[in-house]
Amino acid sequence: MAVHPLPPRRTSAPETPDPPAYDRRRAWLILAMVVAFMMINYADKSVLGLAAVPLMDELAIDKSTYGLISSSFYVLFSVSGLVIGLLSARWSTRTMLLVMAALWAVAQLPALVATVPALVAGRLLLGAAEGPAASMSMHTLYGWFPPGRRGMPSALQIGGAALGTAVAAPVLTWFIVNLGWRSAFVALAITSAAWCLVWYAVGKDGPYSAAAQRSAAGAAPASGTPGTGKRNGTRPTADAPAPPLSRLLLSGTVVGSVLSAFGSHWALAVSSAWLPVYLQTQLDLTASTASVAVSAVSVLSLLLLLSVPALVDRRKRHGRAGRAADGIAQGAAVLVSGAALALLPFAEQRAAQLALVAVAFAAHAVAIPLHYVTTAAVVPAARRGPVFGVVAATGTLPGMFVPYLTGHLVDGAASEATGYAIAFLLSAAVMAVCGAVAMLAIRPDRDARALGGEG
C-alpha cells in the first residue's frame, strides 16, 4: 500500500526571532514597572479632580478658577513631551523615566501650601514631568518587545493608566474624606519616590532600542541588495538614512493616529478634571459613591484595553493586519465615546446616565495604545522616539484648554446642567471629526512600505 505524505500544516506568519540579548523575564519585569509607572501617572492626574469639591469649598473659588488650575497641568505637558521626544535618541530611557518619577514626587508638595498660585505651580511642574511619560515609557517597552508582539504590552501600559485611576479613586477618596484632601497629594509623593528606588535597581534599556539596533547594524552586513537601499525590494535597509521627520509626521497614518489621540485625550481631559464633580453635583452622588463610579469606568476601560489591542495583535500574527485592525478600531473607539457623550445630557433615568458615563469615558481609551502601535509600524526605530514625542505633544493638546473651557461654559450658562450639556455636545462634535478622519487616514501597510517602517 502506497504511503502518501501528509500535507504540510498551515501555520501562522513567522514571528520575529528574538535577538541574542533578549531576556524574556527582564522584558516582563520592565513591563510590570512601566505599568506601575503609568498607574502613578494617572493617579497624579486624577487626584485634583477627586479633591475638587472640598478644595473649591475651602479656597472659595469658582469653577472657572478650578478649571484654570486643572488646565495648568497641560501648559508645559505638550512642550516637554515634544522636547524630550526629540532628544530621546541621545538619552537612556531608563534615566528619563527615573528623573520624571522623581519630579512627580516633588510636584505634589506645593499642595500643602493650599493657595491657588501654589496649586498652579505644582500642576505646572507635574505636567512638565509627565508630558513625556506615556511616549517615553512606550518607547522603553518597544525596546524590549519585537514588532508583532507590541499590541498587548502597549495595552497593558495604557491599562496601567486605567488601573491607576480605578485604584486611586477609592484609595485617594478615603484619604480625602478621612485625613483631608492634602493627604492624598502626600501619599502620591511617597509612592513616586518608592517607585524611583525600585526602578533604579531593575531598570534597563532593551535589545530592540534604537541604540541596540545601531550597534547590530554596525556589526552585521545589510540584508538588502547593495546599492539599492531596499530590503526584499520594498523597504530601506537598516543602514539606509531614515526619512526626514517632516515626511514621517505628514504621513496619513501618523496624522490619523494624532487625531485619534486628540479625540481620546479630549474625553480624558473632561473626565479627569470634571467627572467626579459632575457625579457629585449633577447626579447627586456622595464623594465615596462617585469614587466607586469613577473606578467602575476605569475597570471598563481596562477590560477594553486588554481585549481590543490583543485581537489586533492576533490578526497581525496571522497575517490579517491592515486598516480594519488598526485605523478602524481606534477611530471607532473615539466615535463611540463621542456618541455616548452627546446622548448624556438627554438621559433622564439614573441607570441610563451612569451607563452613558461609562461608555463615554471608557471606550475612547482603546485609541491610546493603538495610535502608538500604528505610528511605530510606519516609523523606523531610529526615528521612533522623536516621532512619539511629537505625536504625544499634539495628541494631548486638549488637556491644555478643555478643563478651563468646560468650567467657563458651566459658569457662563443659565444653569450648571445647561453648561455641562453644552460642554458635552461640543466634546462629542470634536471627537466625531477626529474619529472619522482617523478611520480614513490610517493605512500602516501602505505607509510602512513608503517610509521604511518596521510594519
Side-chain angles (χ1 to χ4, degrees), residues 106-420:
V106 175
Q108 303 298 346
L109 300 180
L112 297 176
V113 181
T115 64
V116 170
L119 290 170
V120 169
R123 299 307 280 185
L124 283 170
L125 176 59
L126 185 64
E130 290 198 352
S135 58
M136 290 302 101
S137 60
M138 193 73 80
H139 187 35
T140 300
L141 280 186
Y142 285 9
W144 282 98
F145 292 90
R149 287 194 173 274
R150 289 173 175 167
M152 180 54 73
S154 299
L156 289 171
Q157 186 255 21
I158 300 300
L163 187 59
T165 305
V167 173
V171 172
L172 294 179
T173 298
W174 184 90
F175 277 96
I176 291 165
V177 171
N178 293 281
L179 302 176
W181 62 267
R182 294 172 184 80
S183 65
F185 290 83
V186 174
L188 288 174
I190 294 171
T191 304
S192 294
W195 186 92
C196 288
L197 293 175
V198 179
W199 180 250
Y200 183 80
V202 305
K204 185 179 179 182
D205 292 332
Y208 293 99
S209 63
Q213 292 200 6
R214 284 195 299 269
S215 298
S223 58
T225 304
T228 64
K230 300 286 183 180
R231 183 178 62 214
N232 298 328
T234 57
R235 294 177 187 166
T237 57
D239 59 344
L245 191 60
S246 58
R247 186 181 172 201
L248 295 170
L249 294 174
L250 292 176
S251 68
T253 296
V254 174
V255 170
S257 298
V258 167
L259 286 174
S260 75
F262 189 93
S264 181
H265 279 92
W266 188 294
L268 183 61
V270 173
S271 65
S272 61
W274 290 105
L275 181 56
V277 181
Y278 177 79
L279 292 172
Q280 293 178 60
T281 62
Q282 300 303 302
L283 301 190
D284 298 322
L285 302 184
T286 65
S288 297
T289 307
S291 73
V292 173
V294 171
S295 255
V297 171
S298 299
V299 169
L300 175 58
S301 175
L302 180 61
L303 292 175
L304 292 172
L305 286 167
L306 294 178
S307 57
V308 177
L311 292 174
V312 171
D313 248 7
R314 184 177 179 183
R315 288 180 62 88
K316 289 182 177 181
R317 288 200 297 270
H318 289 79
R320 296 196 299 270
R323 234 175 115 204
D326 294 300
I328 293 179
Q330 58 189 284
V334 175
L335 282 173
V336 169
S337 279
L341 206 52
L343 293 173
L344 181 56
F346 306 103
E348 297 182 355
Q349 300 296 322
R350 177 63 54 82
Q353 291 170 333
L354 292 175
L356 289 170
V357 163
V359 174
F361 296 119
H364 71 88
V366 170
I368 299 179
L370 290 182
H371 93 273
Y372 280 114
V373 173
T374 49
T375 299
V378 304
V379 174
R383 297 284 195 191
R384 192 168 58 218
V387 172
F388 273 11
V390 175
V391 168
T394 50
T396 56
L397 281 175
M400 189 178 294
F401 59 89
V402 169
Y404 171 75
L405 175 62
T406 302
H408 181 72
L409 290 172
V410 173
D411 277 341
S415 66
E416 285 193 7
T418 302
Y420 280 114

